[in-house]
Amino acid sequence: MSEKVVEAARLMDMLPEADQNFAYEFIKKLVRAWDPDFTKATPQEAKELEEAEASGFVDEEDVDWGNLSRYSD
């Protein structure tokens, strides 16, 4: 977690509960405005996805679930 996120959480924790709820809803609104479908990847997520795809990732649809023994070494 970034230093700014930790600091924001620390600051929010100091607020009364009603204001914490307001801040939470405001942050949620900002995130949805940035990505209404929650489909954008953060730079870290994009890096992790790229690494996973380069690691031999196999899409579920490409697996012959009725014949898994063909995948064993």
Side-chain angles (χ1 to χ4, degrees):
M1 198 177 312
S2 78
E3 205 172 299
K4 286 184 181 179
V5 172
V6 172
E7 179 65 11
R10 188 186 69 74
L11 291 170
M12 279 184 59
D13 194 44
M14 294 174 15
L15 296 171
E17 187 175 350
D19 291 336
Q20 287 179 10
N21 292 335
F22 173 81
Y24 171 75
E25 292 300 324
F26 180 73
I27 291 169
K28 200 163 65 170
K29 186 175 183 175
L30 285 174
V31 170
R32 288 187 175 153
W34 174 71
D35 183 10
D37 297 322
F38 296 99
T39 56
K40 292 179 186 163
T42 65
Q44 180 64 33
E45 290 170 332
K47 179 183 174 205
E48 290 171 2
L49 285 169
E50 186 176 315
E51 289 172 359
E53 290 172 353
S55 72
F57 171 81
V58 177
D59 192 298
E60 176 182 6
E61 294 177 7
D62 296 332
V63 176
D64 181 359
W65 293 102
N67 188 13
L68 293 176
S69 61
R70 74 182 241 196
Y71 299 108
S72 63
D73 294 333

